[in-house]
Amino acid sequence: MRIQVTVPSMLAHAVGDTRHVWVDASTLAELIRNVQTQFPLLRPLVWDEQFQLRKHIMIFLNDQSIAWLNEPDPQLKEHDTLSLVQAVSGG
């Protein structure tokens, strides 16, 4: 199934200068692996060398942070979306 993945504008250059891409997957874990594979320029910006999510990035499946999901690897459904959110700070 094709899932829409949204990236912040500051990372759009890593996915072809767009904010929305489509990635095929049937589970959340497969979706994340496929994002890492299909967009190698995005991988080091979102995940560290151990493939751990960087502390300034959050991932949402639909409107829920994946850190708070009841199921660690849910099946994806039609119209599900994945959003990468980058924290911005400064003064």
Side-chain angles (χ1 to χ4, degrees):
M1 155 173 344
R2 293 184 64 88
I3 304 296
Q4 183 178 25
V5 177
T6 302
V7 300
S9 58
M10 292 189 300
L11 299 180
H13 69 279
V15 296
D17 291 320
T18 185
R19 295 211 42 235
H20 305 283
V21 294
W22 293 91
V23 178
D24 290 320
S26 58
T27 67
L28 177 60
E30 181 183 20
L31 179 59
I32 289 172
R33 280 191 310 272
N34 290 349
V35 167
Q36 292 170 338
T37 301
Q38 283 182 238
F39 304 102
L41 296 176
L42 184 64
R43 199 207 59 74
L45 301 172
V46 176
W47 294 275
D48 65 17
E49 295 78 19
Q50 289 78 38
F51 291 93
Q52 298 298 311
L53 194 61
R54 293 194 181 277
K55 63 181 174 183
H56 64 280
I57 301 284
M58 294 183 299
I59 299 179
F60 288 83
L61 179 60
N62 301 316
D63 293 327
Q64 185 173 10
S65 170
I66 65 168
W68 297 102
L69 291 175
N70 292 330
E71 188 179 341
D73 189 22
Q75 290 287 321
L76 300 174
K77 301 178 294 303
E78 189 175 354
H79 304 296
D80 278 345
T81 60
L82 188 83
S83 300
L84 304 177
V85 178
Q86 185 174 26
V88 178
S89 64

